[in-house]
Structure formats: structure tokens, C-alpha cells
Amino acid sequence: MACFEECGCTCYEWPGDAVFDSAIERETRINITLRGLVETHPGWYSEGADGIANNDVTWIGLRNVPGVYVLWQQADYCSEHNADHLRAFYVGKAGKNIEARLKVHQGKKQINDILSTQVSIWQGPNRLAKYIEQLLLDSFSFPLNGYETGGTLPLCHHILPAAWN
């Protein structure tokens, strides 16, 4: 039985990994797995005016970092597995303007009403980042991505409470 009815996820089981990992292995020589990308967590920011006033995005330290980033919402908690359930809501290509893009997301995307928005990032060259971003969009559903979305699987992550804070 799934821990979370909205997406059908069970804590610490990631059926979407096989789709992503097999495509990466088959199509490229990039040494990355979906879990490796998801678990690389440089920080978080608060939404809206409070986060902007606190300069939350800047302290993450991602200025000029190339790669792919994923924005997460804390969606729920599973008492059976003592796990916070995070849901991916946006994927984007990082680079010299990532800090500016995150500031725009902070003010306009409104991923979380109260909680912080978590950030995962895979660091790598621009050309590979474009491929990885498109593979994620082709495989998974990102509710706040408006273009080039075709994926239907939810991208979820499960962590111990406060593990990323």
C-alpha cells in the first residue's frame, strides 16, 4: 500500500529511477543516477517577501554554478517510515544566471505557502545539463514547468525529518 495517495509513492521506493538511470546509461556516458542528482542538496530558501528580505537565495551559494536544478515542496509526512515526503515541482538548467532565476522563482512560483523550498542540483557542463533537464521533463511531471513537459511520473523524495535543514 502506498504511503501517499496523491502520487502513489511508498517511502524509499523510487520506481522512476529505472526510467531515468537506464536512459542515461543507454544514451550517454554521464556518470549520474537519479538518486545522485536528487540527493545533492545545497540548500533551501523561503518563499515571497520574507525570503527576499533575508536574501535566502544568495546564501545558498549557487552563483555561476552550471548544471540542472530541481525545486522541491515538502508535501507530507509518513509516521510509519519517519520520512518527510518531498515532491519535485520545477526543473531548470542552472548556469551563470541561476541565482537570478531562483530569485524570480522565490517571488513568483510560490511552490510552498509556509515551508521552505528545497533545491537539488547536479553540477556539470551546459550541454550535458540540457540533456539531463530534457530527460527529466520527458520522464517526470513538473507542475510548474510550462514548456517541453511530457513526463507523467511524479518525482518524489523521502528523507528523515529536518535532514535537509
Side-chain angles (χ1 to χ4, degrees):
M1 184 168 133
C3 297
F4 305 100
E5 289 183 31
E6 82 173 57
C7 60
C9 289
T10 299
C11 293
Y12 306 110
E13 292 180 12
W14 295 287
D17 282 25
V19 172
F20 182 89
D21 293 351
S22 66
I24 285 283
E25 186 177 333
R26 185 177 62 251
E27 298 174 5
T28 74
R29 293 184 180 155
I30 305 170
N31 186 18
I32 184 177
T33 63
L34 184 59
R35 285 302 114 201
L37 185 155
V38 164
E39 292 173 352
T40 304
H41 176 257
W44 54 271
Y45 61 82
S46 298
E47 294 286 353
D50 289 340
I52 292 168
N54 293 333
N55 211 16
D56 283 356
V57 168
T58 301
W59 72 260
I60 297 173
L62 294 177
R63 176 174 277 162
N64 295 323
V65 173
V68 174
Y69 66 96
V70 178
L71 302 181
W72 301 89
Q73 174 188 49
Q74 184 177 344
D76 211 338
Y77 172 77
C78 176
S79 58
E80 181 180 339
H81 296 106
N82 186 31
D84 281 334
H85 177 72
L86 297 135
R87 179 88 190 267
F89 268 71
Y90 187 86
V91 61
K93 194 173 71 57
K96 65 182 177 181
N97 65 347
I98 184 174
E99 192 172 296
R101 290 187 72 193
L102 289 177
K103 286 180 180 181
V104 169
H105 296 324
Q106 184 179 41
K108 293 184 179 177
K109 291 289 184 186
Q110 298 301 310
I111 293 169
N112 289 303
D113 293 330
I114 299 170
L115 300 170
S116 59
T117 295
Q118 305 291 337
V119 181
S120 289
I121 188 164
W122 173 82
Q123 294 184 35
N126 183 51
R127 187 178 307 268
L128 299 180
K130 287 179 181 183
Y131 171 82
I132 291 169
E133 178 190 28
Q134 192 60 55
L135 179 57
L136 288 167
L137 288 167
D138 290 346
S139 303
F140 300 99
S141 169
F142 293 93
L144 296 180
N145 281 87
Y147 302 103
E148 300 181 47
T149 58
T152 57
L153 294 171
L155 180 55
C156 298
H157 188 43
H158 309 96
I159 59 172
L160 293 173
W164 278 6
N165 292 326

